[in-house]
């Protein structure tokens, strides 16, 4: 491949990073300057990274309390208040709107494949709004319609915490994905409401029982936006061969997570991790899902990356490693963008 392929990515945590930022104007820094972390507009453009699913996410309370206490009304509390949970998610939605409004047309919130393709054609950054963990909808359910009207088109109903919608997925390494009960009745109702809205349902943070509960009710392609192969790395959040077979049967896909702890056979948070390990997971997933059902789900700005892939500007190193491992140009194009376009088109029709 003579030119860097266009990259559409299944998961990043930029909006949460912007919310946590101590900078005076992080939105401006992302668009026109240099933003600490894995992503800013200049580096994205240089790398051919055209966007993807941007997560709205409630970080762990202890992390915010220890590292960003200024973001809390009362850092002496033991957890977020219900109002803080709502406010944090609404603040991240507002940041996404600011990225679009203040970018002079360089950034667009997209709700259809046609809009994504237009961004590709016009070299704009495409934001697809994704909700990672739906705790705030347990507090104010009517906000689902508000967020949908603002552009939300993808949801991961669960995260690691237990919520009204189901048990979280939190277990020591190594562990199977079977970590607790599945979806609650409220969780099933939420997924059905999102399915009616033709939203992508993300199973990346579901335990095994919730995964199978979801498959029983959604009747659409099943997507894990940022997960890897459990056979290669026995983190509870990675997918078993049986789960991969079900995703393939649904016509869904998996986005490979670049976080070293979900790549390495030893599960260690060690940045001295070869890019070959990412390619190993790509290879394994292609063997089990097929060439049309695998993509990138980097987790940029929310993960610990291999040293060779320190931020988006180094993504070409991963592409080169894929080429060295005999991935064809056509297969690389599928993994870097085409498969995501196809699955979104199937879900959003």
């Amino acid at each position: 491949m003579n030119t860097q392929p266009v990259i559409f990515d299944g998961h990043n945590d930029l909006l949460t990073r912007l919310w946590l930022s101590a900078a005076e104007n992080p939105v401006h820094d992302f668009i026109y300057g240099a933003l600490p972390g894995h992503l800013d507009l200049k580096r994205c453009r240089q790398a051919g990274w055209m966007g993807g699913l941007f997560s709205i996410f409630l970080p762990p309370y202890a992390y915010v309390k220890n590292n960003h206490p200024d973001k809390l009304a009362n850092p002496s509390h033991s957890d977020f208040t219900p109002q803080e949970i709502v406010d944090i998610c609404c603040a991240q939605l507002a940041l996404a709107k600011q990225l679009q409004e203040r970018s002079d047309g360089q950034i667009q919130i997209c709700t259809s494949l046609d809009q994504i393709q237009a961004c590709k054609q016009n070299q704009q950054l495409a934001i697809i709004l994704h909700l990672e963990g739906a705790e705030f909808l347990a507090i104010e359910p009517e906000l689902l319609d508000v967020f949908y009207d603002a552009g939300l088109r993808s949801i991961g109903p669960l995260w690691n915490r237990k919520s009204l919608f189901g048990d979280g997925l939190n277990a020591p390494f190594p562990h199977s994905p079977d970590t607790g009960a599945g979806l609650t009745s409220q969780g099933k109702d939420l997924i059905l409401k999102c399915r009616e809205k033709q939203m992508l349902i993300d199973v990346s943070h579901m335990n095994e029982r919730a995964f199978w509960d979801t498959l029983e009710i959604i009747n659409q392609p099943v997507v894990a936006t940022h997960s890897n192969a459990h056979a290669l790395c026995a983190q509870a959040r990675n997918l078993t061969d049986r789960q991969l077979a079900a995703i393939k049967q649904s016509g869904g896909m998996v986005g490979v997570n670049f976080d070293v702890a979900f790549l390495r056979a030893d599960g260690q948070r060690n940045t001295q991790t070869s890019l070959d390990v990412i390619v190993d997971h790509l290879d394994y997933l292609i063997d089990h899902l097929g060439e049309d059902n695998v993509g990138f789900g980097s987790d940029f700005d929310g993960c610990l990356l291999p040293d060779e892939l320190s931020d988006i500007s180094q993504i070409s190193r991963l592409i080169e490693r894929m080429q060295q491992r005999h991935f064809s140009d056509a297969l690389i194009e599928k993994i870097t963008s085409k498969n995501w376009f196809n699955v979104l088109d199937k879900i959003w029709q």
Side-chain angles (χ1 to χ4, degrees):
M1 187 174 287
N2 296 323
T3 59
Q4 177 76 10
V6 169
I7 297 168
F8 184 93
D9 194 356
H11 192 88
N12 74 77
D13 284 306
L14 172 74
L15 298 177
T16 307
R17 176 173 286 276
L18 292 177
W19 177 72
L20 289 170
S21 175
E24 183 176 347
N25 195 337
V27 169
H28 180 275
D29 292 346
F30 176 85
I31 300 170
Y32 299 108
L35 188 73
H38 300 154
L39 303 168
D40 56 42
L41 187 57
K42 180 180 178 180
R43 283 181 287 167
C44 290
R45 282 192 160 153
Q46 290 173 342
W49 194 88
M50 65 159 291
L53 275 66
F54 285 62
S55 174
I56 294 169
F57 170 62
L58 181 72
Y61 182 81
Y63 174 82
V64 179
K65 182 176 180 177
N66 293 333
N67 297 281
H68 306 275
D70 57 303
K71 299 297 180 182
L72 301 172
N74 189 341
S76 66
H77 287 173
S78 60
D79 206 347
F80 296 113
T81 66
Q83 191 58 54
E84 281 178 320
I85 292 172
V86 172
D87 289 347
I88 289 167
C89 294
C90 289
Q92 292 181 36
L93 176 62
L95 286 164
K97 292 178 179 179
Q98 290 175 36
L99 286 170
Q100 176 172 270
E101 293 165 357
R102 296 166 58 184
S103 69
D104 297 320
Q106 299 178 83
I107 301 172
Q108 295 293 322
I109 296 173
C110 298
T111 58
S112 70
L113 183 61
D114 285 346
Q115 290 178 320
I116 295 171
Q117 295 285 17
C119 284
K120 178 182 177 182
Q121 183 70 28
N122 298 326
Q123 296 186 319
Q124 297 165 300
L125 190 73
I127 291 178
I128 292 80
L129 292 174
H130 169 78
L131 182 61
E132 183 175 21
E135 289 98 326
F136 82 101
L137 295 179
I139 301 164
E140 295 191 27
E142 67 277 6
L143 285 176
L144 176 61
D145 289 333
V146 174
F147 274 56
Y148 182 87
D149 290 343
L152 184 70
R153 290 298 182 273
S154 177
I155 183 170
L158 305 178
W159 192 65
N160 295 354
R161 298 172 287 251
K162 185 179 179 68
S163 74
L164 179 70
F165 303 119
D167 280 7
L169 199 167
N170 198 1
F173 179 89
H175 205 285
S176 80
D178 187 7
T179 65
L183 298 173
T184 63
S185 59
Q186 295 96 330
K188 293 177 182 178
D189 287 345
L190 174 61
I191 286 175
L192 289 172
K193 288 177 184 176
C194 294
R195 187 195 69 179
E196 290 170 4
K197 293 177 177 292
Q198 295 179 294
M199 295 173 64
L200 181 152
I201 311 296
D202 180 18
V203 300
S204 288
H205 280 280
M206 289 186 181
N207 65 34
E208 191 166 8
R209 295 185 191 185
F211 175 94
W212 296 114
D213 287 345
T214 299
L215 260 72
E216 287 181 7
I217 61 177
I218 65 169
N219 192 31
Q220 70 182 35
V222 177
V223 177
T225 61
H226 57 305
S227 294
N228 294 334
H230 191 271
L232 301 185
C233 173
Q235 294 282 8
R237 207 170 72 63
N238 285 341
L239 298 158
T240 66
D241 289 356
R242 184 166 170 250
Q243 289 175 303
L244 296 177
I247 290 171
K248 179 180 181 179
Q249 186 174 10
S250 78
M253 68 174 288
V254 176
V256 169
N257 188 336
F258 297 168
D259 191 314
V260 293
F262 298 96
L263 291 166
R264 296 173 58 96
D266 60 9
Q268 295 298 305
R269 294 179 60 78
N270 182 349
T271 62
Q272 294 181 358
T273 299
S274 170
L275 295 183
D276 280 306
V277 182
I278 299 178
V279 183
D280 289 344
H281 279 268
L282 287 168
D283 256 337
Y284 190 92
L285 292 172
I286 289 167
D287 284 345
H288 286 74
L289 294 167
E291 292 188 357
D292 298 331
N293 305 92
V294 181
F296 288 164
S298 69
D299 209 2
F300 280 136
D301 277 335
C303 72
L304 190 64
L305 292 169
D307 290 335
E308 294 178 83
L309 182 59
S310 56
D311 63 12
I312 184 56
S313 69
Q314 305 301 320
I315 195 72
S316 61
R317 294 180 176 178
L318 177 57
I319 305 300
E320 289 168 4
R321 193 65 52 87
M322 292 163 68
Q323 292 168 335
Q324 291 164 5
R325 295 274 295 268
H326 307 295
F327 282 54
S328 68
D329 288 357
L331 177 55
I332 290 173
E333 182 185 14
K334 287 182 178 183
I335 292 170
T336 54
S337 64
K338 192 174 179 180
N339 289 345
W340 274 115
F341 297 159
N342 288 342
V343 79
L344 290 173
D345 194 38
K346 286 189 283 188
I347 293 170
W348 290 348
Q349 281 181 350

